[in-house]
Structures are given as C-alpha cells and as structure tokens.
Amino acid sequence: MVIDGIEMEEHSGDPGDSIAELLLRIAERDQAAFAGLYDALSSRMFGLILRVLVDRAQSEEVLQEVFLEIWQSASQYSPNKGQGRTWVLTMTHRRAVDRVRSAQASVERDVRIGIRNVGVEFDGVAEDVELRWEGRRVVHALQQLPEKQKEALTLAYYGGYSQREISALTGTPIGTVKTRMRDGLSRLRSKMGVMA
C-alpha cells in the first residue's frame, strides 16, 4: 500500500499502527521497541511539552517522566481503543499540564503560608503575572476566531498535531488547513495588537 508516496506494509494501514506495535512490544519489555518509540516520537513529544511549560529544563524532565511512564504502563495500552500515537501524545500533554498545575498549586500554597515572601524577586512574580495575563489574552482572542480557524490552531498548538495530521483528523484538504492556520494566526495577531 502507498500512502503519500511512501510504501507501507499492508498490515500497517494506519500510521499509528507502527506506534501501537512498538507499545505492545514495550509492554513485553522490548528495549529495542522502546528505543524505536523514542526515535519516532521524542521530538514531537518534547515540542508539545515545551509549548505547555515554556521552560526547557522542566520540559526535558517531563519528557523523561513520560518515557518512564510509558515503560511502566505500556501494558495498559489497548490498540482497539485508539491509535498508539494518540495514546502517547495524550499522556505527554496530561503530564505537562500536571506539571503546570503542580507548580501553580505549590506557589499558591507557599503564598498562603507566607514562605514565598522570603527570597522571591519582584521580577519573577511580575513575569509570572505577565505570562498568565498574556495566556488569558491569547485564549480570549482565540475564542473570537471563526470556528474552523480556531479548530486548526487548537489542534496544532494545544494538541501538538502537524498540518497533515489535522487534515486527516478533520477530513479537510491540507491546503485548506494551511490557509485556515495562516489566516487564523493573522487574525490572532491583529486581535492581540501584535505586528507581523
């Protein structure tokens, strides 16, 4: 079978199937399969984590945690419930969001008991507030976009999907996905007062 000019083995009719096969082998403690999964998805996973956390060092830590979780819980993956790639990327996103929530909870807890007042630089607090405010502005501006543009941008930047994957997920031609993303980003910049 040929997909996008690439010869695929007949049993892997879905690109996610190869990831599913690796996960099944990892469940049996196959180290070569684990290395194969790392080679296949680590850069996409790291990009997704970095978009959520922004901090490179924390993103590297979370990536390690996700791969440890995959090694320990690959037996819980069931191919009949979804694609392997989706399972891995969902786990990755969940772990990154958990890290953000944990950091926020820690800060809030420390502030409540007054420990954070010692040794905290004003600039760090100001930067945190500014990042949260900017995040809210982005979400608000994103909600004002037409539904199809919002969907494409959300899948790309929050879901970690490529334009080709978005095309497959939505059943939309790749050119249309690219146009929606380009136009959506342009409108987003305009709504936020950012010069292109």
Side-chain angles (χ1 to χ4, degrees):
M1 171 186 300
V2 176
I3 298 176
D4 291 331
I6 300 172
E7 184 74 27
M8 302 292 286
E9 293 181 31
E10 198 60 41
H11 71 279
S12 63
D14 180 346
D17 285 347
S18 61
I19 301 300
E21 291 171 14
L22 290 173
L23 289 169
L24 293 173
R25 288 173 43 206
I26 291 168
E28 297 171 357
R29 299 296 186 235
D30 184 330
Q31 292 180 2
F34 188 71
L37 182 73
Y38 184 88
D39 291 344
L41 291 181
S42 62
S43 61
R44 168 156 297 161
M45 293 165 65
F46 183 73
L48 175 59
I49 296 166
L50 189 58
R51 277 194 292 272
V52 174
L53 297 179
V54 182
D55 181 89
R56 189 168 195 82
Q58 282 197 41
S59 297
E60 290 170 355
E61 286 178 20
V62 171
L63 182 65
Q64 289 178 0
E65 291 170 7
V66 172
F67 272 102
L68 178 61
E69 185 177 355
I70 290 169
W71 180 256
Q72 293 172 339
S73 65
S75 61
Q76 296 173 9
Y77 169 69
S78 177
N80 61 351
K81 292 184 180 177
Q83 289 188 356
R85 178 185 310 271
T86 303
W87 188 77
V88 170
L89 292 177
T90 299
M91 180 185 298
T92 302
H93 185 260
R94 186 187 72 235
R95 184 65 79 137
V97 169
D98 286 349
R99 175 65 67 99
V100 170
R101 288 181 181 149
S102 173
Q104 287 174 342
S106 176
V107 167
E108 290 167 5
R109 182 179 56 249
D110 289 349
V111 168
R112 273 196 310 270
I113 60 173
I115 295 174
R116 277 301 229 194
N117 294 334
V118 179
V120 174
E121 295 181 23
F122 176 76
D123 292 341
V125 173
E127 184 178 343
D128 185 44
V129 168
E130 186 176 331
L131 285 173
R132 288 182 188 194
W133 176 251
E134 191 67 19
R136 288 185 184 125
R137 285 185 60 220
V138 170
V139 169
H140 179 71
L142 189 61
Q143 290 172 344
Q144 296 176 30
L145 295 179
E147 192 60 37
K148 297 295 183 181
Q149 291 175 0
K150 179 170 51 173
E151 176 186 46
L153 291 175
T154 301
L155 286 170
Y157 292 99
Y158 291 104
Y161 292 101
S162 69
Q163 291 175 340
R164 185 168 305 283
E165 289 170 330
I166 293 169
S167 172
L169 284 169
T170 62
T172 307
I174 185 78
T176 304
V177 170
K178 289 179 180 182
T179 300
R180 287 177 182 168
M181 290 182 71
R182 184 192 67 233
D183 293 349
L185 285 172
S186 177
R187 283 185 177 189
L188 202 57
R189 283 187 199 104
S190 174
K191 288 185 181 302
M192 295 187 67
V194 176
M195 302 302 282

